[in-house]
């Protein structure tokens, strides 16, 4: 069974991470959620990353704000795909987090989604797994089909509403 790790630098980031966890679980994929700080618990961060594959993880999502080094610290110690989830901050609205995550040095890639885009982080992790697991890929196709159907229904309803004005 595939497993996705969702790590956040602070418990206060859980509101952002929650939508990632929900979408992952809705696909029937196991997830483990942890609070591990790149700066306050660096030994735990390195240990987690070094043992992630051995512990059954196949993708790691790292949510962090401000300096947002968590994704890079984890990516430096594993060959697993790492997805950075920048968290909105009061100081710069999350731009600080976004720039910290996307500006990784050569050789330490971290895929990055938008600020507070927990659902997209979860979906990207599922898409990565979908390359290996056809059942996840099929569920992603169904998910996208349902999104299309909703938009088409919204379009039809709006056009009907406007034509009656």
């Amino acid at each position: 069974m595939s497993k996705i790790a969702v790590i956040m630098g602070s418990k206060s980031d859980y509101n952002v991470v929650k939508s990632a966890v929900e979408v992952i679980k809705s696909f029937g994929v196991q997830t483990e959620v942890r609070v591990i700080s790149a700066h306050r618990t660096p030994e735990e961060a390195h240990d987690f990353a070094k043992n992630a594959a051995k512990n059954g993880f196949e993708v790691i999502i790292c949510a962090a704000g401000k300096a947002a080094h968590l994704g890079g610290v984890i990516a430096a110690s594993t060959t697993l795909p790492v997805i950075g989830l920048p968290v909105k901050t009061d100081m710069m609205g999350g731009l600080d987090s976004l720039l910290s995550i996307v500006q990784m040095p050569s050789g330490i890639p971290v895929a990055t989604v938008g600020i507070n885009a927990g659902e997209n982080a979860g979906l990207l992790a599922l898409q990565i797994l979908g390359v290996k697991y056809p059942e996840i890929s099929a569920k992603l196709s169904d998910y996208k089909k349902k999104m299309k159907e909703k938009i088409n229904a919204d379009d039809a309803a709006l056009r009907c509403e406007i034509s009656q004005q």
Side-chain angles (χ1 to χ4, degrees):
M1 178 68 156
S2 55
K3 195 159 83 168
I4 298 172
V6 181
I7 305 171
M8 64 198 101
S10 170
K11 185 180 175 189
S12 63
D13 298 335
Y14 185 68
N15 285 336
V16 173
V17 165
K18 187 177 179 181
S19 58
V21 174
E22 289 172 350
V23 75
I24 292 165
K25 286 183 176 182
S26 77
F27 278 72
V29 175
Q30 289 182 337
T31 184
E32 184 174 314
V33 182
R34 300 280 309 273
V35 176
I36 301 174
S37 171
H39 303 108
R40 293 168 285 199
T41 59
E43 295 86 8
E44 286 86 345
H46 288 289
D47 184 59
F48 183 89
K50 286 180 184 178
N51 294 301
K54 182 174 68 176
N55 289 327
F57 296 107
E58 295 182 82
V59 180
I60 303 170
I61 297 172
C62 296
K66 298 183 182 176
H69 291 147
L70 184 58
V73 167
I74 296 297
S77 296
T78 186
T79 58
L80 295 176
V82 175
I83 300 168
L85 172 53
V87 175
K88 184 177 180 181
T89 61
D90 292 335
M91 194 179 329
M92 295 179 68
L95 185 59
D96 48 345
S97 311
L98 176 66
L99 293 174
S100 292
I101 294 172
V102 298
Q103 294 298 333
M104 296 308 306
S106 181
I108 311 295
V110 175
T112 309
V113 296
I115 298 165
N116 281 8
E119 183 177 359
N120 275 354
L123 288 168
L124 180 56
L126 291 164
Q127 287 179 323
I128 291 168
L129 291 178
V131 171
K132 180 178 178 183
Y133 299 102
E135 64 276 13
I136 294 174
S137 183
K139 288 179 182 180
L140 283 162
S141 292
D142 290 344
Y143 183 89
K144 290 188 177 211
K145 181 181 175 187
K146 288 176 185 169
M147 283 194 309
K148 177 184 174 183
E149 289 169 354
K150 181 189 180 316
I151 293 299
N152 288 339
D154 289 349
D155 177 50
L158 180 62
R159 289 183 1 198
C160 181
E161 180 182 324
I162 290 171
S163 71
Q164 294 176 1
Q165 292 178 353

